[in-house]
Amino acid sequence: MDTSPCWKVTELQLYGNSQAQVPQSGDRNTLDERGRSPSLTAETVFASLPQVERGVAKILGGDPKGNNFLYSNGKCVIIRNIENPAIADIYTEHAHQVSVAKYAPSGFYIASGDVSGKLRIWDTTQKEHLLKYEYQPFAGKIKDISWTEDSKRIAAVGEGREKFGAVFLWDTGSSVGEITGHSKVINSVDVKQTRPYRIVTGSDDNCGAFFEGPPFKFKFTMMDHSRFVNCVRFSPDGNRFASAGADGQIFIYDGKNGEKIAALGGGKAHDGGIYAVSWSPDSTQLLSASGDKTAKIWDVANNSVVTTFNMGSDVLNQQLGCLWQKNHLLTVSLSGYINYLDKNNPNRPLRTIKGHSKSIQCLTVHKNDGRSYIYSGSHDVSHYWDAVTGENDSFSGKGHSNLVSRMAIDESNQLVSCGMDDTVRFTSVTKKEYSASDLVKMDVQPKCIAVGPGGYTVAVCIEQLVLLKDKKRGFGMDNLGYKPEVAAIHPGGVTVTVGGSDGKVHLYSIQGNTLKDDGKTLEVKGPVTDLAYSHDGAYLAVCDANKAVTVFTVADGYAEKSVFYGHHAKVVCVAWSPDNEHFASGGMDMMVYIWTVNDSDTRIKMPDAHRMHHVSSVAWLDEHTLITTSHDSSIKQWTVTYK
């Protein structure tokens, strides 16, 4: 029998006509105890939102065919299908935080720049996103990128030390001019997409600059703005360009000679700073996004507002970016949400893409009304996702006010969660609405919760255990003699196991409204990071900081069954498959393993499941579907099959 690896990784594609299959190196002995050869497939990526910062423009890039758009979050570039943004792909090869990414006009490559000044040019047609070239045009954050229409030259600007911009050939890095004329950071750059080529820039020195070429040479400075120039963009036909600033003004200039034509709105275009503008495909209209919580469509020739989109009254409704792609008008809010604007109803977007923009700490899964849902927790936000469609939303009402550190679904269909706001919350997954009354305040910060039958919840707090019954606080245990980290309640509802930083699992019994120390401990290989019972209660899996997962047999008095080694760094999460024969573990090494309980040598290894960030949580939707999440703010859904 061939025992070589027989598994593959594929993801929903945004390129090519078929799904690329990328074989990965795996472990030998990947046949399970039934002689089946396992395979692992990444079916869906639930992508992160743009990472945004107040007062800083967020650039959305669009592909020349109008099918996809892209943006950055942390060290990742996220590509999403504009018709169905649930279809997404993530580029993860930057070593530093990515600040901007732009498609080449050919559509075959993307250029992305990071805060260290590295600019990477990579392939869009293949799943592997092979690197074509890497350059460092200047030492400092790259803030904007623009290509010439023949996809041969790139202009990059930002926060350099000696210089704030460069323009060079994409395939050699050879300079084709100089970006000069500014005394401060350059925020924005654009290249005229028709000949003769022109370049325009906008800077923190309140000025724009106009360049002719190639080779590109500084021609003159535009000093119309009174505050920072945040965005400059040529119209697609090249006849005009727009300049938008923190002074709330938009100026229109001639695209060929740079002469000023008009100030939109006659003076102030918006009541707040303008962070982005994007031209309509026919070059007649302009979309603008502002900190005054509105976006506007302008008729440029008539210097008039066509539509004003009121995005809300909260500070998180400030608009930091925009993109006009075919018939789609997109803006990015300070919340990170992506809004699809509706010309016919300017007070309500057609759709709003929600999700996480910060690291995801925990997740759990649940079936409700025949549909499978994924629940995820991040910094003060919990979201739920339809596992089939990828549609998601946040719970309504006021939830946790700080990082959500753990969550689980109890037998009453309530999402039980704990956070760094020192509360344990109980939220109905049918109502999807936070309840102001269904929360329990802890004396100290809870780190983990575990749910069991009979309405029991155990909260693991800093140096304290608290037993809750029917959403009411009950017995608390202090002075434990060790630092508790995580807990699990046996499906039978009697035994509670608590993992400590002392490298031991401590056993307790639930007796009415109290916890009783059984005086029994289990030794593992290092400080306990997570533990979980199999669904039938037969096994307890414990993962630790010393790269091991230990499984104990419950019926044998918690005798050690096997120790599973494979991770190269601390294992941080573990979850059992509903078949009770397999369990998954995720680690600081960015790897996910799927183990077979009766054979510690049988495993599926998934290296770089979440590249650049450790796996923070794993959960099984069913015995063939594994969910993973990470500090990369994304969720991935994997299909596990046995042949």
Side-chain angles (χ1 to χ4, degrees):
M1 182 181 291
D2 180 11
T3 58
S4 61
C6 182
W7 56 283
K8 61 183 182 292
V9 179
T10 63
E11 298 188 25
L12 286 177
Q13 305 301 308
L14 295 168
Y15 31 74
N17 296 318
S18 62
Q19 289 194 338
Q21 295 187 357
V22 189
Q24 301 280 349
S25 60
D27 293 346
R28 296 191 66 81
N29 303 319
T30 55
L31 297 180
D32 76 353
E33 69 278 9
R34 297 179 185 172
R36 300 176 299 180
S37 175
S39 71
L40 188 65
T41 308
E43 294 288 355
T44 312
V45 175
F46 302 117
S48 62
L49 293 175
Q51 197 167 43
V52 294
E53 183 181 345
R54 187 171 181 179
V56 178
K58 188 64 186 182
I59 295 174
L60 294 178
D63 84 302
K65 293 183 178 178
N67 298 325
N68 306 323
F69 67 101
L70 49 74
Y71 53 83
S72 62
N73 180 305
K75 299 174 184 177
C76 305
V77 177
I78 293 92
I79 309 169
R80 302 185 81 156
N81 182 285
I82 202 160
E83 296 284 350
N84 181 8
I87 301 175
D89 187 29
I90 306 177
Y91 178 76
T92 55
E93 299 298 319
H94 277 273
H96 300 276
Q97 183 174 331
V98 184
S99 42
V100 61
K102 292 281 189 71
Y103 272 94
S106 67
F108 296 136
Y109 295 99
I110 290 172
S112 52
D114 64 31
V115 297
S116 75
K118 285 281 194 307
L119 188 144
R120 296 174 67 89
I121 302 169
W122 40 279
D123 177 86
T124 64
T125 63
Q126 300 296 318
K127 171 61 199 144
E128 297 92 333
H129 296 313
L130 296 175
L131 178 67
K132 193 72 175 175
Y133 302 103
E134 183 179 76
Y135 302 112
Q136 179 129 17
F138 46 83
K141 180 180 181 179
I142 296 175
K143 298 198 71 173
D144 201 5
I145 295 167
S146 186
W147 296 73
T148 53
E149 52 83 27
D150 57 6
S151 300
K152 292 181 178 179
R153 304 169 189 84
I154 296 175
V157 299
E159 298 179 3
R161 295 189 181 96
E162 292 83 16
K163 61 179 182 177
F164 303 117
V167 55
F168 52 90
L169 292 172
W170 84 293
D171 55 352
T172 64
S174 301
S175 175
V176 286
E178 291 186 332
I179 303 295
T180 59
H182 288 293
S183 59
K184 292 184 179 179
V185 172
I186 302 177
N187 297 315
S188 186
V189 64
D190 205 27
V191 178
K192 182 169 170 278
Q193 294 297 294
T194 55
R195 294 176 184 270
Y197 290 146
R198 300 287 186 264
I199 289 178
V200 63
T201 55
S203 166
D204 272 5
D205 62 11
N206 303 350
C207 297
F210 192 78
F211 302 80
E212 293 180 346
F216 292 98
K217 294 181 181 179
F218 172 78
K219 190 71 175 175
F220 56 82
T221 299
M222 298 162 287
M223 297 184 287
D224 298 301
H225 287 283
S226 59
R227 294 190 65 195
F228 300 161
V229 182
N230 290 325
C231 187
V232 290
R233 293 291 181 259
F234 278 98
S235 59
D237 62 12
N239 290 336
R240 287 164 291 192
F241 68 87
S243 172
D247 54 6
Q249 293 188 296
I250 302 173
F251 295 103
I252 304 297
Y253 301 86
D254 183 275
K256 189 173 180 180
N257 59 34
E259 292 181 0
K260 187 168 80 169
I261 298 173
L264 289 187
K268 279 224 171 185
H270 281 270
D271 292 332
I274 302 167
Y275 293 103
V277 291
S278 183
W279 288 86
S280 62
D282 65 3
S283 301
T284 64
Q285 296 183 326
L286 188 73
L287 174 65
S288 58
S290 170
D292 67 4
K293 312 178 190 69
T294 70
K296 294 182 180 182
I297 297 176
W298 299 86
D299 182 318
V300 176
N302 294 323
N303 196 346
S304 61
V305 177
V306 177
T307 309
T308 299
F309 301 93
N310 296 299
M311 306 305 295
S313 57
D314 192 272
V315 66
L316 294 177
N317 297 125
Q318 292 183 4
Q319 302 301 297
L320 302 181
C322 64
L323 177 68
W324 195 321
Q325 186 94 315
K326 285 188 175 176
N327 296 322
H328 298 286
L329 286 79
L330 275 58
T331 65
V332 178
S333 302
L334 180 57
S335 61
Y337 291 172
I338 301 167
N339 312 291
Y340 283 63
L341 304 183
D342 185 353
K343 294 180 184 179
N344 298 318
N345 186 2
N347 295 319
R348 184 180 178 87
L350 284 167
R351 68 192 303 183
T352 299
I353 307 303
K354 299 182 180 181
H356 295 288
S357 59
K358 298 179 180 178
S359 62
I360 301 173
Q361 189 68 28
C362 56
L363 62 77
T364 191
V365 296
H366 183 59
K367 285 194 175 180
N368 187 17
D369 295 330
R371 300 182 75 86
S372 296
Y373 289 95
I374 302 163
Y375 300 86
S376 54
S378 179
H379 292 259
D380 73 16
V381 176
S382 294
H383 278 274
Y384 59 92
W385 310 72
D386 186 307
V388 176
T389 66
E391 294 292 325
N392 76 91
D393 205 345
S394 55
F395 290 93
S396 60
K398 184 173 175 56
H400 288 284
S401 59
N402 208 324
L403 176 69
V404 181
S405 50
R406 197 76 167 208
M407 53 174 52
I409 305 288
D410 69 11
E411 61 183 4
S412 301
N413 289 336
Q414 293 181 111
L415 178 70
V416 186
S417 57
C418 66
M420 290 178 66
D421 57 0
D422 298 347
T423 65
V424 174
R425 284 186 169 271
F426 298 84
T427 309
S428 168
V429 297
T430 52
K431 293 181 180 178
K432 298 180 173 60
E433 181 180 2
Y434 289 114
S435 168
S437 59
D438 290 339
L439 68 87
V440 181
K441 185 76 174 172
M442 297 287 113
D443 298 329
V444 288
Q445 180 182 311
K447 297 188 285 186
C448 178
I449 51 95
V451 299
Y456 286 110
T457 299
V458 171
V460 178
C461 303
I462 297 175
E463 299 185 347
Q464 185 183 60
L465 296 178
V466 179
L467 180 67
L468 298 93
K469 176 80 159 69
D470 299 328
K471 300 188 283 190
K472 299 285 192 299
R473 179 172 174 159
F475 183 74
M477 294 184 75
D478 299 297
N479 304 316
L480 300 171
Y482 68 96
K483 290 183 178 180
E485 298 293 337
V486 289
I489 301 178
H490 188 273
V494 176
T495 304
V496 177
T497 50
V498 180
S501 60
D502 58 354
K504 296 178 181 179
V505 178
H506 303 257
L507 273 66
Y508 299 85
S509 296
I510 297 177
Q511 297 183 353
N513 291 326
T514 64
L515 277 178
K516 178 179 178 295
D517 190 341
D518 290 347
K520 181 179 177 64
T521 59
L522 313 174
E523 296 275 350
V524 293
K525 307 306 176 185
V528 179
T529 54
D530 199 12
L531 46 76
Y533 280 103
S534 58
H535 298 273
D536 60 5
Y539 302 111
L540 175 71
V542 184
C543 57
D544 62 53
N546 284 351
K547 302 178 275 192
V549 184
T550 307
V551 172
F552 299 90
T553 305
V554 174
D556 293 338
Y558 289 89
E560 182 180 298
K561 179 175 176 60
S562 295
V563 182
F564 297 79
Y565 292 102
H567 284 282
H568 303 318
K570 178 165 73 173
V571 191
V572 295
C573 52
V574 64
W576 283 89
S577 166
D579 67 11
N580 300 306
E581 297 175 6
H582 301 89
F583 61 92
S585 61
M588 297 288 288
D589 53 5
M590 297 172 281
M591 290 189 187
V592 171
Y593 278 93
I594 297 175
W595 308 92
T596 303
V597 68
N598 289 317
D599 184 356
S600 59
D601 291 329
T602 299
R603 62 225 189 180
I604 302 174
K605 173 185 176 183
M606 181 59 214
D608 296 331
H610 291 263
R611 226 177 122 70
M612 307 302 295
H613 295 275
H614 78 263
V615 180
S616 56
S617 192
V618 292
W620 292 82
L621 209 55
D622 55 55
E623 64 181 74
H624 293 295
T625 311
L626 179 68
I627 311 297
T628 65
T629 192
S630 163
H631 285 200
D632 65 6
S633 311
S634 67
I635 296 170
K636 292 187 178 181
Q637 183 171 303
W638 311 84
T639 295
V640 184
T641 54
Y642 303 94
K643 300 176 183 177

